[in-house]
Every structure is written in C-alpha cells, then in structure tokens.
Amino acid sequence: MNAAFALSSVLLPWASGLGTGLGLFAAVGAQSAFILRQGLQRAHVGSVIAVCAAADAVCIVASVLAWRTLSARAAWIVPAMAWAGAVFLAVYALRAARRAWSPGGALAPAGQAMASRGAAMLAALGFTVLNPHFWLDIVLVGSLAQAFDRNAAAYAAGAITASVLWLLVLGGGARLLRPVFRDPRAWRVLDGGIALVMALLACRLLARVL
C-alpha cells in the first residue's frame, strides 16, 4: 500500500511535467527548424539532438532549484537575451534566404550545411540558449514544479522527458521526409520558410525591447 502510494506520488508530478513540457516545447521555432534541416541532410543530427537535450535538462533542473532567485536578481537577462537572440536569428535568416534564392544553394552537400560537428553543436547550443522564449518556458516549468514540493524533481524529470521525446521526433521524422526533399524545389521552399520564421522571431524579440 505504501509502495503504491509512493509510486503514484511520483508518477503524478512526472506526468504533469511531461504534459507541460510537450505543450511548451512541441512547437515549430528556431531550434526545431534547425534540427529539421540537419536531420534532412543527415548532418550531425545525433550530436545536435544531444546538445539540445543536455541544454534543456540542465536549464530545467537549474530553474526548478533556483527559479525564485533568478527571477528576482537577474531581470536584465530578458532584454540582453532578446538582443543577442535577434542578431543570431537575423544572421541565420539571411543565410537561409540566400540558399532559397540560389538554385544550387539548397542542394549543397550535407557536410557543407555545417562545416563541422563542432560548428553544428555550437549552432544547436545557440538556437537553444539565445532564445528568450526558451528561458520563459524554462522559468515557467521551474515555477510550476514548486507546487509539487518534495516531488518537484519528478516534475522536472517529466519536462525533461518531453524535451527528449520532441527532439527525437524532429530528428527521426526528418528522415521520413527525405523522399519529398529529393526535389530541389522542396529544399528552396523549406529554406524560404525557415528564413521567414527566423526573421519573424527576430522582429518579435526586438519589439519586446524597443
């Protein structure tokens, strides 16, 4: 009886964290678009997913442990991250737009999508941490976890599980779409869409601080 109660007391916050995480993370944004393109080109996608998953996990745990202190003492982070994120997204939007505009640019070999595994991993980290929306989601997860008191760790584990599941869906789902992207026009449409998403996100970030 006690074992069943203990198990249910852990499963409930874990399931709540899983549901919250899926609601927050399962969206098409800068990070998702980057992973999708890497997955379609089979360019270091495993390393990219690992970096994104690790960054999500570390930030979720940190938020659960110290969200009150962070929100009270580091209010300057939001505008600073907005500027840094906007510049980062704008540069990537220009690169994607150039690929979409050039007939041969979208069909560059997979190895040229990111010059090296290190570059791909660094870009993945940038798309994760240079995104104020990501930090808002992380702070929200940390605050909601406090409602579960001693089982806040189980809630955080559920949110981390949601992050990993979404990343795996993006990376694995990209392979299923490879037949569609044998057509050069599909690559140009994808890059055009990525450029538009990145540009809109950059504008939204700037609108928050101007």
Side-chain angles (χ1 to χ4, degrees):
M1 184 69 176
N2 291 334
F5 177 77
L7 181 61
S8 64
S9 66
V10 171
L11 286 178
L12 178 59
W14 179 86
S16 298
L18 178 66
T20 302
L22 289 175
L24 292 174
F25 305 143
V28 178
Q31 183 196 70
S32 300
F34 176 72
I35 294 173
L36 180 60
R37 182 172 178 84
Q38 293 296 116
L40 286 169
Q41 294 193 350
R42 296 183 181 177
H44 315 302
V45 64
S47 298
V48 166
I49 289 176
V51 168
C52 293
D56 287 353
V58 169
C59 292
I60 287 172
V61 171
S63 178
V64 170
L65 293 176
W67 74 277
R68 288 190 181 92
T69 301
L70 290 174
S71 61
R73 298 184 179 181
W76 57 269
I77 284 181
V78 173
M81 293 300 295
W83 279 103
V87 172
F88 186 83
L89 292 172
V91 170
Y92 197 83
L94 289 174
R95 293 181 58 187
R98 185 173 60 182
R99 289 195 303 267
W101 185 261
S102 174
L107 291 178
Q112 295 180 12
M114 275 295 161
S116 66
R117 186 180 302 275
M121 294 172 70
L122 185 61
L125 184 62
F127 279 116
T128 301
V129 301
L130 293 179
N131 182 0
H133 296 290
F134 165 80
W135 290 106
L136 292 175
D137 290 345
I138 293 299
V139 170
L140 178 59
V141 169
S143 64
L144 292 175
Q146 307 308 311
F148 294 94
D149 197 15
R150 295 181 180 179
N151 291 318
Y155 183 92
I160 292 171
T161 302
S163 167
V164 172
L165 288 175
W166 174 240
L167 292 171
L168 290 176
V169 166
L170 282 175
R175 295 184 179 182
L176 299 178
L177 294 174
R178 281 187 64 83
V180 176
F181 285 88
R182 289 173 182 167
D183 186 344
R185 291 172 297 182
W187 282 104
R188 298 183 69 181
V189 170
L190 174 65
D191 279 321
I194 289 176
L196 181 61
V197 169
M198 302 297 180
L200 288 175
L201 287 174
C203 291
R204 288 184 61 183
L205 292 181
L206 290 178
R208 289 175 176 267
V209 294
L210 293 179

